[in-house]
Amino acid sequence: MPPPITPLEQSKDDHDDLVFLEEHPAAPAVAGARNVWRVMIIDDDEDVHSTTTFALGNLDMQQRPLEFVHAYSAGQARELLKHESEIAVILLDVVMEQDDAGLHLVRYIRETLNLADVRIILRTGQPGYAPEIDAIRDFDINDYKTKSELTRIKLFTTVTAAIRSYEQIRKINDSRRGLNQIVHASTQLMALHGVQNFASGVLTQIADLLGQDSNGVLCVQECPDDGCHELMVMATAGSYRHLDNTTLCNVEHKHIYDAMELTLGQRRNVYGPDFITLYFAGKASRDFVAYLEVGRAPTEIDERLLEVFCSNVAVGLDNVELVTHLHNAAFYDQLSKLPNRTRLVEILDATLSGPARDDATLSLVDLDHFAETNDALGHQFGDTLLVAVAGRLQTQLGGQLTVARIGGDIFCVLGDSSQVNPANILALFQHPFSIDGQDVQLSATLGLVRLGEHEGSGADALKDADIALKRAKSQQRAGHFYFSRSMGVEIRERVRMMHALRTAFGQNQLFVVYQPQIDLATRRPVGAEALLRWQTPDGKFISPDRFIPIAEYSGLIIDLGEWVMRTACRELVDLRKAGHQNFMMSINVSQVQFRHPHFLEMLRKALEDTGAPPEFVELEITESMAMEEPDLLIKMLAQIKQTGVSIAIDDFGTGFSSLSYLQRLQIDRLKIDRAFVTEITGSARGSSIAEMVIQLGRNLGLAVIAEGVEDERQAQILQALGCPLAQGFLFARPMTATALNGWLSNDALEGAA
Ligand code: C2E
Ligand code: CA
Ligand code: CA
């Protein structure tokens, strides 16, 4: 705010007691006006010009001499001011061409020419011509004096004050400009990804800030703790471009190295006459240092701005490092350093929309039995093994490949079909991997997708590869499978069935049938197996062989299985009420159900709620299921046994249970698979497996039952071999509860007859 106008004071008694310096009338003004203060005198009275220059001419202010610019009318001043720059002070006459020509000129200077920094001192001959207060405030007039007032000493102090204020304004404006530039620079820098980009952005911004060309190099100090002090070049500019991707040593680039070392050691910027080194304190990580050649030594303001800039940028560099780190964690597998699933999907999307698409193949590489290797040899060993597999996939297939790790033991290879094919990939697993001097033989199963035939996104391609992999795994180990569109159709069909099954369950289209099991010697029923049925509204039956896997896959089996369990238990109770006291109920339990954490609870509750006696309930689990996760199974079976129910191994003979393993399982009964019953022809060879199972049962003290007995001959042979129990169409087909009740009564009658 300009000072309020006080009544014009008279200072006539002021004495010109200044000591004037020796006159240097010939001394030319310093070119470029940087080192002088330029004062413009605008007055139509020539005497005022000469007295003013005489009064101020030889004085230094703030260590700089004055330089005068003269205008003798407002009009001339206008013209001059259009081209003059860096005028610090204007001594302006109010009354010239017109009474208020000076005031108009002020408006022109401030508003039209937009010169805000220059200080203006108004002078008038007559005290009555004082301008309005508003004009003084609005036009930022810094002083107003009558000419008579301006004695030499008064003039000197007035102009000195104006120059000081001009200097301050310039400094503030410079630093404000600089700060704006820093803010701008920071925003620009934040938009750059990666430490390298950020670092070269920093060099550019410093050059901008100093208003000079950028010749410089930015380094990061590696491992500052162990004294090795390697200066790794992160970015270069101008004449230092040749240093890109190098490490500075104190031989070849000694002056840069020394300057940087000094800066890092002192942890502050160093300003030399023709170079500066800037220090960026990495708070979260490493320290950075920049070396820049400069054409001129930075001013005090430059230095202060650079300090602000450096601390700003240090935070930025830290952030960029952090973000880079996070980026890596989000897109790369930490163990193998390979792209992870997220990154792979991005790469796949890019490939699918690029020219390489038609010839590209995607292959999932699933290591067989890796979990067992991991368990047996330890996780650290497993990790090393995975890294070795990653390395082999990366180096031995040749060409431009993407290798990713998308799951614990699942890798992914993407590239040209001439490289990415089963023969090439599986060949990599022919030789063992040598880990810690130990040879490990691995095999892998592949699921492949030809991208040229693929419709859809990268994520879809990965899903298709997974479907193909599942198919390959279900068929044979160490094999491969290409995804085909018909598999997609099959999948859609399965999804459709999944929905239909859910609806069917909700609408009571499912029911349980019972297939009697009989004592071969007496041919009397001893129990029944509960089997699930699904009849669609149009009367069609869908085989449980089709819908049970879907129920398992979708998880519906948990609810479905519980419902079967409860229905069968209730039926058992009903049968007992009808007089069939020694009747067993066998219930199939799927692996998914069995693994469910609440299985035991569900079982206990079904028994309790229905009142079914556990000693007449048997659970059938398949042999293949018995072979997986032996420890878990042994524990589970022990707990199930405590509820009082018994356990049968279904489809026995199809798996490869070892005798010693069977002995550890708490089971009660073996169920000879239908396939071996069908084989029984009477010849020794045909019945050999059935015979073996029967013997095994006898040796282990287990009951044995044969299923799928279709003719009398089979029944007789089985009985002759020592199999006491059987189930099959020969005796009865699965039937509804009502039918079973009737069948049992008839049978009972027949038996009684
Ligand atoms: P499974 O447990 O081996 O059931 C025996 C299957 O053999 C039944 O087929 C039965 O109808 C059939 N069968 C019985 N006697 C004969 C015969 O003499 N000749 C022939 N050719 N077949 C005979 P189903 O009912 O189609 O069941 C197929 C499979 O579905 C069952 O095999 C079982 O694994 C599964 N399943 C059925 N119901 C359930 C259930 O409630 N829960 C679970 N988890 N699985 C079930
Ligand atoms: Ca069964
Ligand atoms: Ca069976």
Side-chain angles (χ1 to χ4, degrees):
M1 264 272 236
I5 297 179
T6 47
L8 304 174
E9 63 184 74
Q10 298 295 310
S11 28
K12 287 235 160 63
D13 40 280
D14 277 351
H15 291 285
D16 292 350
D17 49 3
L18 279 178
V19 180
F20 286 94
L21 300 171
E22 258 192 277
E23 284 197 34
H24 299 285
V30 178
R34 264 222 155 243
N35 298 315
V36 296
W37 299 118
R38 308 192 76 213
V39 176
M40 191 175 196
I41 302 165
I42 308 172
D43 208 306
D44 53 0
D45 183 347
E46 286 200 37
D47 281 353
V48 174
H49 287 263
S50 50
T51 50
T52 308
T53 45
F54 176 71
L56 302 174
N58 297 324
L59 294 174
D60 264 8
M61 291 188 186
Q62 312 279 97
Q63 279 104 50
R64 289 196 216 170
L66 301 182
E67 181 187 277
F68 294 99
V69 180
H70 301 275
Y72 297 91
S73 69
Q76 193 194 0
R78 278 174 198 239
E79 285 311 304
L80 277 174
L81 282 166
K82 278 183 197 162
H83 313 291
E84 287 294 338
S85 62
E86 311 240 339
I87 304 265
V89 179
I90 295 177
L91 291 163
L92 177 58
D93 190 14
V94 176
V95 183
M96 287 180 288
E97 293 100 313
Q98 296 91 32
D99 279 357
D100 56 355
L103 291 178
H104 282 293
L105 186 60
V106 174
R107 179 192 291 273
Y108 176 79
I109 291 168
R110 295 293 191 220
E111 292 186 348
T112 309
L113 296 178
N114 241 331
L115 300 175
D117 300 351
V118 60
R119 300 297 85 202
I120 299 174
I121 298 163
L122 276 184
R123 294 198 288 189
T124 180
Q126 300 100 319
Y129 279 90
E132 298 292 322
I133 293 180
D134 285 352
I136 290 184
R137 191 174 29 238
D138 292 351
F139 297 130
D140 188 16
I141 292 168
N142 308 100
D143 219 338
Y144 174 77
K145 294 278 183 308
T146 56
K147 286 181 186 170
S148 57
E149 223 186 331
L150 289 173
T151 56
R152 271 177 147 187
I153 191 160
K154 207 52 170 189
L155 188 61
F156 176 77
T157 41
T158 303
V159 173
T160 308
I163 283 177
R164 263 201 210 115
S165 124
Y166 172 77
E167 190 186 22
Q168 230 125 45
I169 287 171
R170 287 305 296 258
K171 268 190 190 164
I172 291 168
N173 283 352
D174 272 357
S175 49
R176 185 178 300 141
R177 245 192 308 277
L179 286 170
N180 273 338
Q181 221 168 328
I182 290 174
V183 171
H184 171 78
S186 306
T187 353
Q188 295 273 303
L189 286 171
M190 289 314 152
L192 298 172
H193 294 296
V195 180
Q196 225 86 24
N197 283 340
F198 190 92
S200 59
V202 168
L203 287 180
T204 317
Q205 298 296 344
I206 297 171
D208 259 19
L209 211 61
L210 293 174
Q212 303 192 12
D213 280 347
S214 176
N215 285 319
V217 48
L218 193 147
C219 292
V220 61
Q221 185 176 46
E222 288 291 358
C223 50
D225 299 328
D226 69 354
C228 76
H229 286 204
E230 287 235 299
L231 291 173
M232 211 170 76
V233 176
M234 307 281 294
T236 60
S239 55
Y240 292 93
R241 287 249 186 265
H242 63 284
L243 294 178
D244 261 336
N245 301 317
T246 59
T247 306
L248 291 190
C249 62
N250 54 0
V251 184
E252 218 177 322
H253 303 284
K254 188 167 167 44
H255 64 291
I256 302 180
Y257 183 89
D258 288 349
M260 284 185 163
E261 278 294 285
L262 181 74
T263 303
L264 287 168
Q266 299 190 349
R267 306 176 67 82
R268 62 174 188 87
N269 297 350
V270 174
Y271 305 98
D274 52 1
F275 74 88
I276 56 175
T277 46
L278 305 178
Y279 173 71
F280 306 94
K283 286 180 195 68
S285 48
R286 312 167 288 180
D287 287 351
F288 298 84
V289 58
Y291 174 97
L292 284 111
E293 263 177 21
V294 289
R296 58 167 176 81
T299 64
E300 212 185 300
I301 291 179
D302 286 339
E303 290 182 9
R304 258 181 286 152
L305 289 176
L306 284 172
E307 243 108 77
V308 177
F309 178 77
C310 287
S311 53
N312 248 1
V313 161
V315 174
L317 270 169
D318 265 351
N319 284 344
V320 169
E321 283 225 304
L322 214 62
V323 168
T324 308
H325 192 74
L326 288 177
H327 179 272
N328 283 345
F331 290 98
Y332 291 88
D333 165 45
Q334 295 304 294
L335 175 68
S336 65
K337 307 286 178 248
L338 293 175
N340 62 11
R341 178 184 287 269
T342 314
R343 179 74 191 111
L344 176 69
V345 168
E346 283 185 355
I347 298 171
L348 271 172
D349 281 333
T351 312
L352 282 168
S353 56
R357 171 201 184 114
D358 285 348
D359 300 318
T361 293
L362 168 74
S363 177
L364 289 185
V365 180
D366 185 356
L367 304 181
D368 300 330
H369 306 297
F370 184 77
E372 283 118 89
T373 312
N374 217 17
D375 286 346
L377 300 170
H379 286 264
Q380 213 156 7
F381 189 92
D383 283 355
T384 318
L385 189 54
L386 286 171
V387 172
V389 172
R392 204 176 275 190
L393 287 171
Q394 271 179 306
T395 55
Q396 296 194 11
L397 284 174
Q400 290 271 309
L401 289 180
T402 297
V403 178
R405 178 167 174 239
I406 62 168
D409 55 357
I410 304 181
F411 291 89
C412 197
V413 189
L414 168 69
D416 194 272
S417 307
S418 60
Q419 274 128 21
V420 181
N421 56 55
N424 282 0
I425 300 173
L426 293 176
L428 298 183
F429 293 90
Q430 274 169 4
H431 305 290
F433 291 84
S434 185
I435 309 291
D436 301 339
Q438 194 171 338
D439 278 356
V440 186
Q441 185 63 57
L442 283 180
S443 66
T445 306
L446 314 181
L448 303 103
V449 177
R450 292 186 183 92
L451 293 192
E453 295 169 9
H454 177 74
E455 285 165 13
S457 67
D460 292 337
L462 207 52
K463 263 186 224 153
D464 287 355
D466 201 43
I467 290 167
L469 178 65
K470 288 224 172 74
R471 178 64 68 89
K473 274 165 102 173
S474 73
Q475 294 194 339
Q476 97 242 54
R477 283 282 171 184
H480 73 272
F481 214 95
Y482 274 97
F483 180 84
S484 68
R485 209 162 295 174
S486 65
M487 286 171 75
V489 171
E490 209 175 283
I491 301 290
R492 273 193 289 283
E493 171 63 20
R494 251 203 274 161
V495 171
R496 203 190 54 73
M497 194 184 264
M498 200 159 88
H499 290 304
L501 179 60
R502 216 175 273 279
T503 313
F505 184 41
Q507 296 178 349
N508 302 319
Q509 292 171 25
L510 299 178
F511 58 98
V512 180
V513 292
Y514 304 88
Q515 183 177 34
Q517 300 174 328
I518 58 106
D519 180 328
L520 277 173
T522 63
R523 299 287 167 116
R524 300 288 311 268
V526 292
E529 176 181 7
L531 294 160
L532 192 55
R533 290 292 174 265
W534 175 13
Q535 188 173 24
T536 57
D538 57 5
K540 265 202 317 215
F541 278 97
I542 297 174
S543 162
D545 282 328
R546 276 186 74 200
F547 73 77
I548 293 288
I550 287 169
E552 288 175 338
Y553 182 73
S554 64
L556 188 62
I557 194 72
I558 302 298
D559 291 344
L560 209 51
E562 178 175 4
W563 178 76
V564 171
M565 177 91 64
R566 291 173 155 269
T567 308
C569 284
R570 229 175 282 122
E571 177 60 15
L572 176 67
V573 172
D574 285 353
L575 287 171
R576 291 174 68 83
K577 280 186 193 145
H580 309 289
Q581 294 290 328
N582 285 318
F583 199 82
M584 272 307 262
M585 183 60 77
S586 297
I587 303 165
N588 293 286
V589 173
S590 110
Q591 180 162 6
V592 181
Q593 256 179 298
F594 199 74
R595 280 202 184 153
H596 194 271
H598 297 152
F599 178 75
L600 262 172
E601 200 182 310
M602 184 278 286
L603 172 65
R604 284 201 198 100
K605 229 172 150 311
L607 294 170
E608 205 180 290
D609 291 354
T610 58
E615 61 274 25
F616 288 101
V617 174
E618 178 186 67
L619 304 184
E620 292 189 8
I621 62 170
T622 60
E623 188 185 9
S624 56
M625 183 168 141
M627 285 177 61
E628 281 182 40
E629 298 182 77
D631 294 335
L632 176 88
L633 186 76
I634 290 168
K635 228 170 74 195
M636 268 301 280
L637 290 184
Q639 286 175 309
I640 290 171
K641 289 290 292 180
Q642 280 178 358
T643 64
V645 305
S646 50
I647 291 153
I649 302 265
D650 205 354
D651 304 338
F652 194 80
T654 54
F656 311 92
S657 316
S658 71
L659 198 65
S660 62
Y661 176 46
L662 276 178
Q663 273 174 317
R664 293 170 60 205
L665 297 177
Q666 296 195 40
I667 48 175
D668 304 275
R669 188 141 88 160
L670 298 180
K671 206 165 180 187
I672 305 171
D673 191 63
R674 194 174 79 220
F676 307 119
V677 173
T678 313
E679 267 178 13
I680 295 174
T681 55
S683 76
R685 258 173 86 240
S687 59
S688 59
I689 291 182
E691 192 178 346
M692 259 163 49
V693 175
I694 293 162
Q695 263 173 24
L696 190 65
R698 199 180 295 135
N699 291 341
L700 293 174
L702 303 174
V704 176
I705 180 167
E707 70 178 338
V709 180
E710 291 183 348
D711 59 43
E712 190 54 44
R713 218 176 132 69
Q714 292 165 340
Q716 279 174 14
I717 293 173
L718 283 164
Q719 196 188 354
L721 290 172
C723 175
L725 305 170
Q727 176 186 343
F729 293 170
L730 171 66
F731 313 106
R733 292 197 172 240
M735 57 189 89
T736 61
T738 325
L740 178 65
N741 265 300
W743 186 85
L744 284 177
S745 312
N746 278 341
D747 188 82
L749 287 175
E750 268 170 34

